[in-house]
Amino acid sequence: MSTYSIFALRVFSIALFLIFAGQDQLFGQQTRPGPPDPLRFEEEIAEFEAWDAKNTSPENALLFTGSSSIRFWNTADSFPGYSVINRGFGGSQISDMLHYYDQIIGRYSPSLIILYCGENDIASGKAIYHVFEDYLGLLEQINRDYPQTPVLFISIKASSSRLDQTERFAAFNRMVQAHSRTSRLLFYADLASPLSKNGRPDDSYYREDLLHLNDRGYELWNERFGAFLAQLEENGVFTLRRDE
C-alpha cells in the first residue's frame, strides 16, 4: 500500500478549501480559536494509562478512538471476532486527540485505526476548514508512526440536538470522504446516513438527550460496520481475525 505524504495532504487541504470557500455560511468564522484545555480529560487518560500498565494490549488489533460515539460503543462485545482496543473519550476534539496521541494511539500496534472525530469541534463553532486541517495533522502523526497502517474515518452524525449543524457536518464528511480517495491507506465509512429518515435525524436511534446513540443506534452501527470490516478484510486491507 502506498503512504500518504505530508505535502499531498496539505495540497489537498488547500484544494478542498478553495472548492468549499464560497459556502461561507458553512465554514463560520475563519479566525482560528484557541484549542480547549486538554487537561479536562486528565482523569480519563489516566485510566487508560493505568489499564495499559497492568495489561498487555493485543497486537494487530482494531484501534477505535475519538469522542463519545466511540466511548459509548461497546466495541469489544460488538465485534467478538476481532481483537479490539477502545480509546474513545467523550467530548473530545481533534486537538485533544493530538495532545494525548501517545496515550490513545502511539503506544499500540494496530492493524486498523478507526477514527470518529470532528463533531464536537464543529459544534463548538470552529470553521470546517480549520477542523479539517486538524484532521490532516492527526493523519500526519499517524503516518509518521504507522506508515503502512490503514486509517478508517467514520462519518460524523447529525442529531436533533445539533440540528443547526447538519449542513456543516455533511460538508466536513464530504471533505474527508473526498480525501480518503487519495490513498489506498485511507477509508471512509458512512454510518451517519442510516441514522436519518426523510432528510432528518431519526430520533429512535438516539438517547433522550437526542445527541448520543442508544442501543438501537449501536445495533445498526454494529451491523453496518461489521459488514464494512468483513469487506475490508476480504479485500486484504488487514488480517487479524482470531481462530478461537
Side-chain angles (χ1 to χ4, degrees):
M1 292 184 180
S2 61
T3 57
Y4 37 94
S5 70
I6 293 175
F7 175 75
L9 289 174
R10 289 305 176 194
V11 169
F12 193 84
S13 171
I14 294 170
L16 278 181
F17 175 66
L18 293 175
I19 292 171
F20 286 96
Q23 305 178 49
D24 294 335
Q25 72 278 13
L26 296 182
F27 278 82
Q29 60 179 332
Q30 294 304 313
T31 57
R32 179 185 287 274
D37 185 2
L39 297 183
R40 68 195 189 282
F41 293 114
E42 272 190 315
E43 291 185 9
E44 289 184 61
I45 300 301
E47 290 178 5
F48 293 154
E49 293 180 309
W51 193 96
D52 288 337
K54 297 177 181 178
N55 299 274
T56 300
S57 297
E59 297 288 319
N60 301 318
L62 300 177
L63 174 58
F64 290 80
T65 187
S67 56
S68 56
S69 291
I70 296 296
R71 178 191 174 194
F72 292 133
W73 196 354
N74 190 349
T75 49
D77 290 342
S78 297
F79 306 105
Y82 299 91
S83 298
V84 173
I85 301 170
N86 188 310
R87 288 297 176 262
F89 51 119
S92 61
Q93 298 186 22
I94 299 174
S95 60
D96 302 308
M97 298 174 68
L98 285 165
H99 182 85
Y100 292 112
Y101 174 86
D102 289 338
Q103 292 91 334
I104 65 171
I105 297 176
R107 64 177 52 188
Y108 306 109
S109 300
S111 280
L112 178 66
I113 299 172
I114 298 122
L115 306 175
Y116 183 96
C117 55
E119 179 181 344
N120 293 319
D121 313 53
I122 294 171
S124 73
K126 288 183 180 179
I128 298 173
Y129 175 60
H130 293 151
V131 179
F132 186 70
E133 276 196 321
D134 290 343
Y135 171 68
L136 294 182
L138 182 59
L139 289 184
E140 289 175 9
Q141 182 64 53
I142 292 172
N143 186 47
R144 281 193 290 267
D145 292 345
Y146 305 102
Q148 296 299 325
T149 300
V151 177
L152 187 154
F153 180 88
I154 294 175
S155 58
I156 57 177
K157 66 189 186 310
S159 61
S160 291
S161 65
R162 290 174 169 173
L163 202 59
D164 60 328
Q165 300 294 326
T166 300
E167 291 302 320
R168 302 182 74 228
F169 289 164
F172 182 74
N173 284 336
R174 289 194 297 270
M175 294 174 75
V176 174
Q177 184 179 26
H179 182 254
S180 70
R181 300 189 184 105
T182 66
S183 170
R184 289 181 293 165
L185 286 175
L186 298 177
F187 297 89
Y188 176 89
D190 180 12
L191 299 189
S193 295
L195 299 171
S196 295
K197 184 178 181 179
N198 299 324
R200 291 179 61 87
D202 185 342
D203 294 342
S204 68
Y205 291 118
Y206 291 82
R207 298 183 183 185
E208 291 183 359
D209 61 7
L210 299 180
L211 175 62
H212 299 100
L213 295 181
N214 58 21
D215 290 343
R216 184 169 182 261
Y218 279 119
E219 287 173 4
L220 178 63
W221 271 22
N222 292 343
E223 177 185 347
R224 298 297 180 93
F225 194 68
F228 194 82
L229 284 177
Q231 183 179 16
L232 290 182
E233 191 172 16
E234 182 179 345
N235 292 338
V237 173
F238 65 91
T239 303
L240 50 72
R241 187 174 292 279
R242 299 193 300 255
D243 293 328
E244 65 264 24

